[in-house]
Amino acid sequence: MKLKLIFTLCLFGMLMSCDKDTISNDDQQNDTPSNFSEYFGSEITRSFLGNVMDSNGNPIEGVTISIGTDQVQTDANGVFSMEDAQVNQRFAYVKAQKTGYIHGSRALVPTNGVNKVSIMLLEETVAGSTTSGTEKTIAIANGASVSLKGDYIKADGSSYSGDLDVIVHHLDPTDTNVALLMPGMLYAENEANQERMLQTLGMLAVELRGTAGEDLNLAENSSAEIKIPVDASLMGIAPSTIPLWCFDEDKGYWIEEGEATLVGNNYIGTVKHFSFWNCDIPAEAINLCVSVINESETAFANTSVTITSNTFGTRSGYTNELGEVCGLVPSGETLEINVYDFAICGSNVIYTSTIGPYNADDNITVMVEETSDIIHETVIGTFADCNENLITNGYVVLTYGEQTFYDTVTDGAFEINMLRCSSSDSFSIEAIDTNNLQTTGAINYTFDVTTETNLGNLLSCNTVTEFIQYTVDDTDEVLITTNIQASFMLTGGNSDNNLNISGQRDSGTNNGCFYLFGVLDNAPHTGTYDDINFEDSNDTGINIGECIGISQNNNNITYNVTALGAVDEYIDINFSGSYEDFNGNPHTIVGVIHVLRD
């Protein structure tokens, strides 16, 4: 499964994290501590859910994730989860490592609940080769380069002699993926041992590999010259000299070390070791937390927020499940805040305001007025295994347009809060059982007409390829996985667009059968249907009354046909609503159909 950019898993690196910083104004650090880590606060334990992908957005399996002393590996979807990892109040550092990729990482301010992280790894693409004792310049296509003198050491400090490969990657700040690709976040320790936020004008990653694949670095008393191109759009703010910052992979933040000089449209500097190097303008900063709510004070989760500084440009982040997003902003500056809907809805600004200036850590709340076009949606459901036992260790993946949302499953239940637009009401969901390495597969749905969509009980069982599941009155659940038949007759007119789906439990117990009949609209046949009027030969609709005892009186069941594939492909339907039985008793029903077309 190819994963899109995960909006629940925040874009941390440039300015903002998606987790709430609990530091109050009184905790603002005005005095330089004796140890930089004193900025981070006390040790705490927090839980994490995240994903790792390559530079094309494809998930990477088998990546080792380290948080403190704890380690896990990503699954086939590139997803990892970790509970009760030891971090600090103001700083958590997540490392991602796999052979064939440059080490990746993410730093963030952890919050209560599940902290969500997304990391994109750079492939170890060899830019060139050289030999010890030989001076050589290795350049890549955009002009970034490293000039080597030929003296190298191994990780244990012993000298290295022989051939070596040189891996070079340039990260352009104008690249939309730079916040996922860069290590840590743009948070640094300057030469005076003070914390700073950074405005990057370009980064360069250099790694050296010996013939046996061993990591190499520059020998003591040796150095190298690096050249980092500056994008034309940033030349207006590029100073003639700029501090150089190296990323400390052990500590998880940037450290000031030397400077670079602007020559033409390139920064050129000298370094004494290799890691990620960064040309940045530093700034004093405060931590700002933004809460996004609607008029009913309901949190807007998974919502894009940007803050623009005239000096430092625009940075972005996504709200967590509490509607909060936090990060460093320059102190003493008037800023602009914008809140956006999703790309599938047009990436429209749904809130804008001028805020600040701020001279100490602060928290603000912005209220977004809901309209008929922008809907705050809650998607809920439960998740069970083949034997209908609730899953206790798993997660769900909801895809809406180009956005993908992740959420953990807690005691078999999940809930995803998001904004959606009335012009696009289709989504898909997949649930993964982490313990048993089983999945529901991707199932297509349509949002309910209300602001809450109940998906019912999803089933992960690799031996089950199709199922019919429904629940009556929130208590009586029926699951059918055998004797399923599904056909669709298409001859041109509405009256011939007949859909028939049936299933029967092996046990032969009560409520063990299911039968659906529908007359669908012309191609593409998907869409929303109500109960069919059998007295009107031209009516389209669906009925499931035969086995369940549903009358046509006060029948308010809505059916969403989200996929109608060819033969041997899936038909996906979800339905919900109220009805009367043949004795006039009221009931409710919610269900899911995921069957192969015969």
Short mmCIF file of all heavy atoms in Angstrom, two decimals, residues 407-465:
data_model
loop_
_atom_site.label_atom_id
_atom_site.label_comp_id
_atom_site.label_asym_id
_atom_site.label_seq_id
_atom_site.Cartn_x
_atom_site.Cartn_y
_atom_site.Cartn_z
N ASP A 407 -4.91 6.26 13.46
CA ASP A 407 -5.34 6.30 14.85
C ASP A 407 -5.16 4.92 15.46
O ASP A 407 -5.30 3.89 14.77
CB ASP A 407 -6.81 6.72 14.96
CG ASP A 407 -7.19 7.09 16.39
OD1 ASP A 407 -6.34 7.68 17.08
OD2 ASP A 407 -8.30 6.77 16.81
N THR A 408 -4.83 4.90 16.72
CA THR A 408 -4.68 3.63 17.42
C THR A 408 -6.04 3.04 17.78
O THR A 408 -7.03 3.75 17.88
CB THR A 408 -3.86 3.81 18.71
OG1 THR A 408 -4.47 4.83 19.50
CG2 THR A 408 -2.43 4.22 18.39
N VAL A 409 -6.04 1.74 17.95
CA VAL A 409 -7.23 1.03 18.41
C VAL A 409 -7.07 0.78 19.90
O VAL A 409 -6.07 0.20 20.35
CB VAL A 409 -7.41 -0.30 17.67
CG1 VAL A 409 -8.56 -1.10 18.26
CG2 VAL A 409 -7.64 -0.04 16.18
N THR A 410 -8.01 1.24 20.71
CA THR A 410 -7.97 1.07 22.15
C THR A 410 -9.12 0.18 22.58
O THR A 410 -10.29 0.54 22.40
CB THR A 410 -8.08 2.43 22.86
OG1 THR A 410 -7.02 3.29 22.40
CG2 THR A 410 -7.96 2.26 24.37
N ASP A 411 -8.77 -0.98 23.12
CA ASP A 411 -9.80 -1.95 23.56
C ASP A 411 -10.82 -2.21 22.46
O ASP A 411 -12.03 -2.27 22.71
CB ASP A 411 -10.50 -1.45 24.83
CG ASP A 411 -9.55 -1.37 26.01
OD1 ASP A 411 -8.61 -2.19 26.07
OD2 ASP A 411 -9.74 -0.50 26.88
N GLY A 412 -10.33 -2.33 21.24
CA GLY A 412 -11.20 -2.66 20.11
C GLY A 412 -11.92 -1.50 19.48
O GLY A 412 -12.63 -1.68 18.49
N ALA A 413 -11.76 -0.28 20.00
CA ALA A 413 -12.49 0.88 19.46
C ALA A 413 -11.52 1.90 18.87
O ALA A 413 -10.36 2.00 19.28
CB ALA A 413 -13.31 1.53 20.57
N PHE A 414 -12.00 2.65 17.89
CA PHE A 414 -11.21 3.74 17.32
C PHE A 414 -12.11 4.92 17.02
O PHE A 414 -13.32 4.79 16.84
CB PHE A 414 -10.46 3.30 16.06
CG PHE A 414 -11.36 2.86 14.93
CD1 PHE A 414 -11.86 3.76 14.01
CD2 PHE A 414 -11.71 1.53 14.79
CE1 PHE A 414 -12.69 3.37 12.98
CE2 PHE A 414 -12.53 1.10 13.76
CZ PHE A 414 -13.03 2.03 12.85
N GLU A 415 -11.51 6.11 16.98
CA GLU A 415 -12.23 7.34 16.68
C GLU A 415 -11.29 8.30 15.98
O GLU A 415 -10.19 8.58 16.46
CB GLU A 415 -12.76 7.99 17.96
CG GLU A 415 -13.48 9.31 17.74
CD GLU A 415 -14.03 9.92 19.01
OE1 GLU A 415 -14.58 9.16 19.84
OE2 GLU A 415 -13.88 11.15 19.20
N ILE A 416 -11.70 8.80 14.82
CA ILE A 416 -10.91 9.76 14.05
C ILE A 416 -11.75 11.01 13.85
O ILE A 416 -12.87 10.93 13.31
CB ILE A 416 -10.47 9.19 12.70
CG1 ILE A 416 -9.54 7.98 12.91
CG2 ILE A 416 -9.77 10.25 11.86
CD1 ILE A 416 -9.13 7.30 11.62
N ASN A 417 -11.24 12.16 14.28
CA ASN A 417 -11.91 13.45 14.09
C ASN A 417 -11.20 14.21 12.98
O ASN A 417 -9.97 14.26 12.94
CB ASN A 417 -11.89 14.25 15.39
CG ASN A 417 -12.73 13.60 16.46
OD1 ASN A 417 -13.94 13.58 16.39
ND2 ASN A 417 -12.07 13.03 17.47
N MET A 418 -11.96 14.84 12.12
CA MET A 418 -11.37 15.51 10.97
C MET A 418 -12.37 16.51 10.39
O MET A 418 -13.56 16.49 10.72
CB MET A 418 -11.01 14.49 9.89
CG MET A 418 -12.21 13.62 9.49
SD MET A 418 -11.83 12.35 8.28
CE MET A 418 -11.65 13.34 6.82
N LEU A 419 -11.87 17.39 9.52
CA LEU A 419 -12.74 18.23 8.72
C LEU A 419 -12.94 17.55 7.37
O LEU A 419 -12.05 16.90 6.86
CB LEU A 419 -12.11 19.61 8.49
CG LEU A 419 -11.95 20.52 9.69
CD1 LEU A 419 -11.36 21.85 9.23
CD2 LEU A 419 -13.26 20.75 10.40
N ARG A 420 -14.11 17.72 6.79
CA ARG A 420 -14.35 17.27 5.43
C ARG A 420 -15.20 18.31 4.72
O ARG A 420 -15.76 19.21 5.35
CB ARG A 420 -15.03 15.91 5.40
CG ARG A 420 -16.46 15.89 5.94
CD ARG A 420 -17.08 14.52 5.72
NE ARG A 420 -18.41 14.38 6.27
CZ ARG A 420 -19.53 14.61 5.59
NH1 ARG A 420 -19.45 15.03 4.33
NH2 ARG A 420 -20.71 14.43 6.15
N CYS A 421 -15.29 18.19 3.41
CA CYS A 421 -16.08 19.14 2.65
C CYS A 421 -17.29 18.44 2.06
O CYS A 421 -17.24 17.25 1.73
CB CYS A 421 -15.26 19.81 1.56
SG CYS A 421 -14.22 18.70 0.61
N SER A 422 -18.38 19.16 1.92
CA SER A 422 -19.62 18.57 1.42
C SER A 422 -19.50 18.11 -0.02
O SER A 422 -20.25 17.24 -0.46
CB SER A 422 -20.76 19.59 1.54
OG SER A 422 -20.45 20.77 0.81
N SER A 423 -18.53 18.64 -0.75
CA SER A 423 -18.37 18.28 -2.16
C SER A 423 -17.68 16.94 -2.36
O SER A 423 -17.64 16.43 -3.47
CB SER A 423 -17.57 19.37 -2.89
OG SER A 423 -16.30 19.53 -2.29
N SER A 424 -17.12 16.36 -1.29
CA SER A 424 -16.43 15.08 -1.42
C SER A 424 -16.73 14.25 -0.17
O SER A 424 -16.27 14.59 0.92
CB SER A 424 -14.92 15.30 -1.57
OG SER A 424 -14.25 14.07 -1.73
N ASP A 425 -17.49 13.17 -0.35
CA ASP A 425 -17.95 12.41 0.81
C ASP A 425 -17.47 10.96 0.82
O ASP A 425 -17.98 10.14 1.57
CB ASP A 425 -19.47 12.45 0.92
CG ASP A 425 -20.16 11.86 -0.30
OD1 ASP A 425 -19.46 11.43 -1.24
OD2 ASP A 425 -21.40 11.83 -0.31
N SER A 426 -16.50 10.60 -0.02
CA SER A 426 -16.01 9.23 -0.08
C SER A 426 -14.66 9.12 0.61
O SER A 426 -13.82 10.03 0.52
CB SER A 426 -15.87 8.76 -1.53
OG SER A 426 -17.13 8.75 -2.16
N PHE A 427 -14.43 8.01 1.28
CA PHE A 427 -13.14 7.73 1.92
C PHE A 427 -12.95 6.23 1.98
O PHE A 427 -13.87 5.45 1.69
CB PHE A 427 -13.08 8.35 3.32
CG PHE A 427 -14.02 7.72 4.32
CD1 PHE A 427 -13.56 6.77 5.23
CD2 PHE A 427 -15.36 8.10 4.39
CE1 PHE A 427 -14.43 6.19 6.15
CE2 PHE A 427 -16.23 7.53 5.31
CZ PHE A 427 -15.76 6.57 6.19
N SER A 428 -11.76 5.80 2.34
CA SER A 428 -11.50 4.38 2.55
C SER A 428 -10.82 4.21 3.90
O SER A 428 -10.20 5.14 4.43
CB SER A 428 -10.61 3.80 1.44
OG SER A 428 -9.30 4.34 1.51
N ILE A 429 -10.94 3.00 4.44
CA ILE A 429 -10.32 2.73 5.73
C ILE A 429 -9.77 1.31 5.73
O ILE A 429 -10.30 0.41 5.08
CB ILE A 429 -11.32 2.93 6.89
CG1 ILE A 429 -10.58 3.10 8.22
CG2 ILE A 429 -12.34 1.81 6.95
CD1 ILE A 429 -11.41 3.73 9.31
N GLU A 430 -8.66 1.14 6.41
CA GLU A 430 -8.05 -0.17 6.61
C GLU A 430 -7.66 -0.28 8.06
O GLU A 430 -7.11 0.66 8.64
CB GLU A 430 -6.82 -0.35 5.72
CG GLU A 430 -6.14 -1.71 5.89
CD GLU A 430 -4.97 -1.90 4.95
OE1 GLU A 430 -4.57 -0.92 4.30
OE2 GLU A 430 -4.44 -3.03 4.89
N ALA A 431 -7.94 -1.43 8.67
CA ALA A 431 -7.56 -1.68 10.06
C ALA A 431 -6.53 -2.79 10.10
O ALA A 431 -6.67 -3.80 9.39
CB ALA A 431 -8.79 -2.04 10.90
N ILE A 432 -5.49 -2.61 10.91
CA ILE A 432 -4.38 -3.55 10.99
C ILE A 432 -4.27 -4.09 12.40
O ILE A 432 -4.20 -3.32 13.37
CB ILE A 432 -3.04 -2.89 10.56
CG1 ILE A 432 -3.08 -2.53 9.07
CG2 ILE A 432 -1.87 -3.82 10.84
CD1 ILE A 432 -3.59 -1.15 8.76
N ASP A 433 -4.25 -5.41 12.52
CA ASP A 433 -4.04 -6.10 13.79
C ASP A 433 -2.54 -6.33 13.95
O ASP A 433 -1.96 -7.19 13.28
CB ASP A 433 -4.81 -7.42 13.79
CG ASP A 433 -4.58 -8.24 15.06
OD1 ASP A 433 -3.81 -7.82 15.93
OD2 ASP A 433 -5.20 -9.32 15.16
N THR A 434 -1.89 -5.53 14.81
CA THR A 434 -0.44 -5.58 14.94
C THR A 434 0.04 -6.90 15.51
O THR A 434 1.07 -7.44 15.09
CB THR A 434 0.05 -4.41 15.82
OG1 THR A 434 -0.43 -3.19 15.27
CG2 THR A 434 1.56 -4.37 15.88
N ASN A 435 -0.67 -7.45 16.46
CA ASN A 435 -0.22 -8.69 17.10
C ASN A 435 -0.23 -9.86 16.13
O ASN A 435 0.71 -10.67 16.09
CB ASN A 435 -1.10 -9.02 18.30
CG ASN A 435 -0.81 -8.14 19.50
OD1 ASN A 435 0.21 -7.47 19.54
ND2 ASN A 435 -1.71 -8.13 20.46
N ASN A 436 -1.30 -9.98 15.34
CA ASN A 436 -1.46 -11.14 14.46
C ASN A 436 -1.09 -10.86 13.01
O ASN A 436 -1.22 -11.75 12.16
CB ASN A 436 -2.92 -11.64 14.52
CG ASN A 436 -3.30 -12.09 15.91
OD1 ASN A 436 -2.61 -12.86 16.54
ND2 ASN A 436 -4.43 -11.57 16.42
N LEU A 437 -0.64 -9.62 12.73
CA LEU A 437 -0.20 -9.23 11.39
C LEU A 437 -1.30 -9.51 10.35
O LEU A 437 -1.05 -10.05 9.28
CB LEU A 437 1.09 -9.94 11.01
CG LEU A 437 2.29 -9.70 11.95
CD1 LEU A 437 3.50 -10.47 11.47
CD2 LEU A 437 2.60 -8.21 12.04
N GLN A 438 -2.52 -9.14 10.70
CA GLN A 438 -3.65 -9.31 9.80
C GLN A 438 -4.33 -7.98 9.57
O GLN A 438 -4.21 -7.05 10.37
CB GLN A 438 -4.63 -10.34 10.37
CG GLN A 438 -4.05 -11.75 10.44
CD GLN A 438 -5.05 -12.77 10.92
OE1 GLN A 438 -6.00 -12.44 11.63
NE2 GLN A 438 -4.84 -14.02 10.55
N THR A 439 -5.08 -7.89 8.48
CA THR A 439 -5.66 -6.62 8.09
C THR A 439 -7.04 -6.84 7.49
O THR A 439 -7.36 -7.91 6.97
CB THR A 439 -4.77 -5.90 7.07
OG1 THR A 439 -5.45 -4.74 6.58
CG2 THR A 439 -4.42 -6.80 5.90
N THR A 440 -7.84 -5.80 7.56
CA THR A 440 -9.15 -5.84 6.91
C THR A 440 -9.04 -5.66 5.40
O THR A 440 -9.97 -5.97 4.66
CB THR A 440 -10.05 -4.71 7.43
OG1 THR A 440 -9.44 -3.45 7.13
CG2 THR A 440 -10.26 -4.83 8.93
N GLY A 441 -7.89 -5.13 4.94
CA GLY A 441 -7.82 -4.63 3.58
C GLY A 441 -8.54 -3.30 3.50
O GLY A 441 -9.29 -2.92 4.40
N ALA A 442 -8.28 -2.54 2.45
CA ALA A 442 -8.92 -1.23 2.29
C ALA A 442 -10.38 -1.40 1.91
O ALA A 442 -10.70 -2.13 0.98
CB ALA A 442 -8.18 -0.41 1.25
N ILE A 443 -11.27 -0.74 2.65
CA ILE A 443 -12.71 -0.80 2.41
C ILE A 443 -13.20 0.62 2.13
O ILE A 443 -12.86 1.55 2.84
CB ILE A 443 -13.46 -1.39 3.62
CG1 ILE A 443 -12.88 -2.76 4.01
CG2 ILE A 443 -14.94 -1.53 3.32
CD1 ILE A 443 -13.47 -3.33 5.28
N ASN A 444 -14.00 0.76 1.07
CA ASN A 444 -14.51 2.08 0.68
C ASN A 444 -15.80 2.41 1.42
O ASN A 444 -16.65 1.54 1.64
CB ASN A 444 -14.77 2.11 -0.83
CG ASN A 444 -13.50 1.92 -1.62
OD1 ASN A 444 -12.55 2.67 -1.46
ND2 ASN A 444 -13.48 0.90 -2.46
N TYR A 445 -15.94 3.69 1.79
CA TYR A 445 -17.12 4.15 2.52
C TYR A 445 -17.55 5.51 2.00
O TYR A 445 -16.80 6.21 1.29
CB TYR A 445 -16.81 4.30 4.02
CG TYR A 445 -16.69 3.01 4.78
CD1 TYR A 445 -15.46 2.41 4.95
CD2 TYR A 445 -17.81 2.41 5.34
CE1 TYR A 445 -15.34 1.22 5.65
CE2 TYR A 445 -17.70 1.23 6.05
CZ TYR A 445 -16.46 0.64 6.21
OH TYR A 445 -16.35 -0.53 6.90
N THR A 446 -18.73 5.91 2.44
CA THR A 446 -19.22 7.27 2.26
C THR A 446 -19.61 7.81 3.63
O THR A 446 -20.20 7.09 4.43
CB THR A 446 -20.44 7.31 1.33
OG1 THR A 446 -20.07 6.80 0.06
CG2 THR A 446 -20.95 8.73 1.15
N PHE A 447 -19.28 9.06 3.91
CA PHE A 447 -19.65 9.66 5.18
C PHE A 447 -21.17 9.66 5.35
O PHE A 447 -21.92 9.82 4.38
CB PHE A 447 -19.14 11.10 5.28
CG PHE A 447 -17.65 11.21 5.36
CD1 PHE A 447 -16.93 11.77 4.32
CD2 PHE A 447 -16.97 10.76 6.48
CE1 PHE A 447 -15.55 11.88 4.38
CE2 PHE A 447 -15.58 10.87 6.56
CZ PHE A 447 -14.87 11.42 5.50
N ASP A 448 -21.59 9.50 6.59
CA ASP A 448 -23.01 9.52 6.89
C ASP A 448 -23.56 10.93 6.67
O ASP A 448 -22.81 11.91 6.59
CB ASP A 448 -23.24 9.09 8.35
CG ASP A 448 -24.64 8.58 8.59
OD1 ASP A 448 -25.50 8.80 7.73
OD2 ASP A 448 -24.87 7.98 9.65
N VAL A 449 -24.87 11.04 6.58
CA VAL A 449 -25.49 12.36 6.40
C VAL A 449 -25.37 13.20 7.67
O VAL A 449 -25.52 14.42 7.62
CB VAL A 449 -26.97 12.22 6.00
CG1 VAL A 449 -27.09 11.61 4.63
CG2 VAL A 449 -27.74 11.37 7.02
N THR A 450 -25.12 12.57 8.81
CA THR A 450 -24.87 13.31 10.04
C THR A 450 -23.39 13.63 10.13
O THR A 450 -22.63 13.37 9.20
CB THR A 450 -25.30 12.48 11.26
OG1 THR A 450 -24.43 11.34 11.37
CG2 THR A 450 -26.72 12.00 11.12
N THR A 451 -22.95 14.22 11.24
CA THR A 451 -21.54 14.53 11.42
C THR A 451 -20.79 13.40 12.13
O THR A 451 -19.64 13.59 12.53
CB THR A 451 -21.38 15.83 12.23
OG1 THR A 451 -22.04 15.67 13.49
CG2 THR A 451 -21.97 17.00 11.48
N GLU A 452 -21.44 12.25 12.28
CA GLU A 452 -20.77 11.08 12.85
C GLU A 452 -21.04 9.88 11.96
O GLU A 452 -22.18 9.56 11.66
CB GLU A 452 -21.25 10.79 14.27
CG GLU A 452 -20.57 9.57 14.90
CD GLU A 452 -20.95 9.34 16.35
OE1 GLU A 452 -20.41 10.05 17.21
OE2 GLU A 452 -21.81 8.48 16.60
N THR A 453 -19.97 9.22 11.53
CA THR A 453 -20.08 8.04 10.69
C THR A 453 -19.63 6.82 11.49
O THR A 453 -18.46 6.73 11.89
CB THR A 453 -19.21 8.18 9.43
OG1 THR A 453 -19.66 9.31 8.68
CG2 THR A 453 -19.30 6.95 8.55
N ASN A 454 -20.57 5.92 11.74
CA ASN A 454 -20.28 4.70 12.50
C ASN A 454 -20.04 3.57 11.52
O ASN A 454 -20.92 3.17 10.76
CB ASN A 454 -21.46 4.37 13.42
CG ASN A 454 -21.14 3.24 14.38
OD1 ASN A 454 -20.27 2.42 14.12
ND2 ASN A 454 -21.85 3.19 15.49
N LEU A 455 -18.82 3.02 11.53
CA LEU A 455 -18.45 1.97 10.58
C LEU A 455 -18.80 0.59 11.09
O LEU A 455 -18.55 -0.41 10.39
CB LEU A 455 -16.95 2.04 10.29
CG LEU A 455 -16.42 3.38 9.76
CD1 LEU A 455 -14.95 3.26 9.42
CD2 LEU A 455 -17.22 3.84 8.57
N GLY A 456 -19.32 0.51 12.31
CA GLY A 456 -19.64 -0.80 12.85
C GLY A 456 -18.40 -1.57 13.22
O GLY A 456 -17.37 -0.98 13.59
N ASN A 457 -18.44 -2.88 13.11
CA ASN A 457 -17.33 -3.74 13.52
C ASN A 457 -16.53 -4.18 12.30
O ASN A 457 -17.05 -4.87 11.43
CB ASN A 457 -17.86 -4.95 14.27
CG ASN A 457 -16.74 -5.75 14.92
OD1 ASN A 457 -15.70 -5.20 15.22
ND2 ASN A 457 -16.97 -7.03 15.13
N LEU A 458 -15.26 -3.76 12.22
CA LEU A 458 -14.38 -4.19 11.14
C LEU A 458 -13.71 -5.50 11.55
O LEU A 458 -13.37 -5.71 12.71
CB LEU A 458 -13.33 -3.13 10.85
CG LEU A 458 -13.85 -1.73 10.50
CD1 LEU A 458 -12.69 -0.81 10.16
CD2 LEU A 458 -14.83 -1.79 9.35
N LEU A 459 -13.47 -6.37 10.56
CA LEU A 459 -12.94 -7.71 10.83
C LEU A 459 -11.61 -7.90 10.13
O LEU A 459 -11.49 -7.68 8.92
CB LEU A 459 -13.94 -8.76 10.33
CG LEU A 459 -13.55 -10.22 10.55
CD1 LEU A 459 -13.67 -10.57 12.03
CD2 LEU A 459 -14.43 -11.12 9.71
N SER A 460 -10.57 -8.28 10.88
CA SER A 460 -9.29 -8.61 10.28
C SER A 460 -9.08 -10.11 10.40
O SER A 460 -8.99 -10.65 11.50
CB SER A 460 -8.14 -7.86 10.96
OG SER A 460 -7.86 -8.39 12.23
N CYS A 461 -9.05 -10.76 9.27
CA CYS A 461 -8.87 -12.21 9.25
C CYS A 461 -8.39 -12.57 7.85
O CYS A 461 -9.15 -12.42 6.89
CB CYS A 461 -10.17 -12.93 9.58
SG CYS A 461 -10.00 -14.70 9.64
N ASN A 462 -7.16 -13.01 7.74
CA ASN A 462 -6.61 -13.28 6.42
C ASN A 462 -7.33 -14.41 5.70
O ASN A 462 -7.23 -14.55 4.48
CB ASN A 462 -5.12 -13.60 6.52
CG ASN A 462 -4.31 -12.36 6.86
OD1 ASN A 462 -4.84 -11.26 6.89
ND2 ASN A 462 -3.03 -12.53 7.12
N THR A 463 -8.05 -15.24 6.45
CA THR A 463 -8.79 -16.33 5.81
C THR A 463 -10.14 -15.88 5.31
O THR A 463 -10.83 -16.62 4.62
CB THR A 463 -8.99 -17.50 6.81
OG1 THR A 463 -9.74 -17.03 7.93
CG2 THR A 463 -7.64 -18.04 7.28
N VAL A 464 -10.55 -14.65 5.66
CA VAL A 464 -11.84 -14.12 5.23
C VAL A 464 -11.61 -13.09 4.13
O VAL A 464 -10.95 -12.08 4.36
CB VAL A 464 -12.60 -13.48 6.41
CG1 VAL A 464 -13.87 -12.81 5.92
CG2 VAL A 464 -12.91 -14.54 7.45
N THR A 465 -12.12 -13.36 2.93
CA THR A 465 -11.94 -12.43 1.82
C THR A 465 -13.14 -11.52 1.63
O THR A 465 -13.04 -10.50 0.95
CB THR A 465 -11.67 -13.19 0.52
OG1 THR A 465 -12.76 -14.08 0.27
CG2 THR A 465 -10.38 -13.99 0.62
#
